Amino acid sequence: MNSMKDCYELANGVKIPCMGYGTYKAAEGNNEGIIKTAIEAGYRYFDTASFYDTEEALGRAIHESGIPREEFFLTSKAWKTEMGYEEVKKAFAQTLEKLGTDYLDMYLIHWPLPNPEYKDWKELIAQGVLGDILFVCTQDNCHVEPAIAAMKAGYKNIMLEKPIDKDINACKRLADAAEEYGARVQVCHSLRYTNFYRRVKEIVDSGEIGKIVSVNHIEPVGTFHYAHSFVQGDWNKDCESPMILAKCCHDTDLLLWLIGRNCISLSSYGSLDFFKAENAPEGCADRCINGCKYNNTCPYSATKYLNKYKNHLFREYAVEKEGFSDTVEALKQGRYGRCVFRCDNNVVDHQTVNLLFEDNITAVMTMCAFSNFERETHIMGTMGELRAYMADDRIEVYNFRNGDRELYHIGHPEALHGGADYVLVEDFIASSLGEKECSTSISESILSHIICIAAERSRLEKRTVLLSEVL
């Protein structure tokens, strides 16, 4: 590509510009100004979507530019709630109206829905092997049964969402089945696939900080994330999955990977301290939408779905996934509109785990709802120490030998989990094709679950737990 005007020619003769401008999140702030600047800079290929809420702004910016419509290549997308023949036609018409144009250059399915013919996973598996790879994305404690059934049906490459199961015996059954049927089973433990933590691992393995002695690792869940998912949402009951397992099994996987040793014993402390009825502000409403006087000051107010989070996946979970089409109606009737102090939640809002690994290595892992930073990891070695701050992609290394400090900035895509999900899937596909060995096995992933299950046992029984008790 020599200039922004260069194009690729598709098989049907249509030419698509080599470089385009994506408008995702352009709705935040001065969106029209940003798009106008992009047009002035020479962009002619623009990508938008009904979900982005940027179609109207893009249409106005193009119209006001005075540049003929035919000089632009416009792409938009139908959201997954707009699937179906009539629904797509309606969505397409609305997109054209918002853009102020009578045609699109490309129209895509934004997020494909599963085949609606299958009422549950059993009907799908009964059809036999339909693809090279199967993703099991059922709820937390419903992974093992469909995965084993899939192996029996002939699937050889299976990816599971985390966690595998809260029952360690169920986890072991899955590992046994994978060996019996010769299947490759991997869990979505994404942290070890980030550019950020891969660099941390390289530094640790290089010996630059000597032998690891101790590690402090913080998983800051985030205030609104916790309120959405663990107070009002699907993960608010410890009978479904303990918080430490549901949220932190990829953190324990990360610790096992970074340290490179097995965990021997642990102790854990934590509780549900804040999100309880006795902490409700005096006179607060049962639902935020019902004129609660604390809406402007409460960081957990569900009215944020109407403004700050109106284009966030949180809002989608609160509205469309709950069967509503209108956000206000969802907040009036649905579970995500409830006051966080008036819910039926019981999972902890903070928990600390103290771990002893082989070679006398100690570690502390803290999970807390009350932080909006990202993960931090402090690794202390005999010849130096490393501090890793995921929020700003910063790794600091202090060398005890010469007193030097080195600073690393690790770039990663602006995507969920730092782009690790893409890397994880690419790695799994490559291993499924026989191009490389799988980076993690189901047996390795189970070790992270054993730590979390032992931690919850320790918290509840108020004692140190040997990992051999859970194995």
Side-chain angles (χ1 to χ4, degrees), residues 144 146-156 158 174 177-179 181 183 185:
V144 173
I148 292 177
M151 284 184 262
K152 291 180 179 179
Y155 283 95
K156 296 298 183 183
I158 301 174
L174 180 62
E179 184 174 353
Y181 293 101
V185 180

Side-chain angles (χ1 to χ4, degrees), residues 134-152:
L134 179 71
F135 287 81
V136 178
C137 305
T138 46
Q139 195 57 16
D140 287 7
N141 291 312
C142 302
H143 294 157
V144 173
E145 188 181 355
I148 292 177
M151 284 184 262
K152 291 180 179 179

Side-chain angles (χ1 to χ4, degrees), residues 140-141 162-168 171 189 230 235 238 240-252 348 351 353 365 367 445-456:
D140 287 7
N141 291 312
K162 69 168 184 68
I164 303 167
D165 198 282
K166 68 175 182 178
D167 181 355
I168 196 61
C171 296
H189 284 154
F230 302 100
W235 293 273
D238 58 16
E240 296 297 329
S241 281
M243 176 72 180
I244 200 73
L245 177 64
K247 192 71 184 75
C248 296
C249 66
H250 59 171
D251 292 277
T252 51
V348 300
Q351 186 169 352
V353 186
M365 183 180 75
M367 180 282 301
S445 296
I446 286 174
L447 296 177
S448 69
H449 288 54
I450 290 172
I451 291 176
C452 294
I453 292 167
E456 186 66 1

Side-chain angles (χ1 to χ4, degrees), residues 83 113-127 130:
M83 295 296 99
L113 283 171
N115 192 323
E117 294 178 6
Y118 303 122
K119 296 178 181 178
D120 60 22
W121 64 263
K122 294 178 182 178
E123 290 188 10
L124 174 63
I125 298 299
Q127 299 298 309
L130 302 177

Side-chain angles (χ1 to χ4, degrees), residues 265-286:
S265 64
L266 58 78
S267 61
S268 184
Y269 307 90
S271 63
L272 173 60
D273 182 67
F274 184 63
F275 296 98
K276 300 186 290 188
E278 56 262 38
N279 293 324
E282 184 179 353
C284 70
D286 289 344

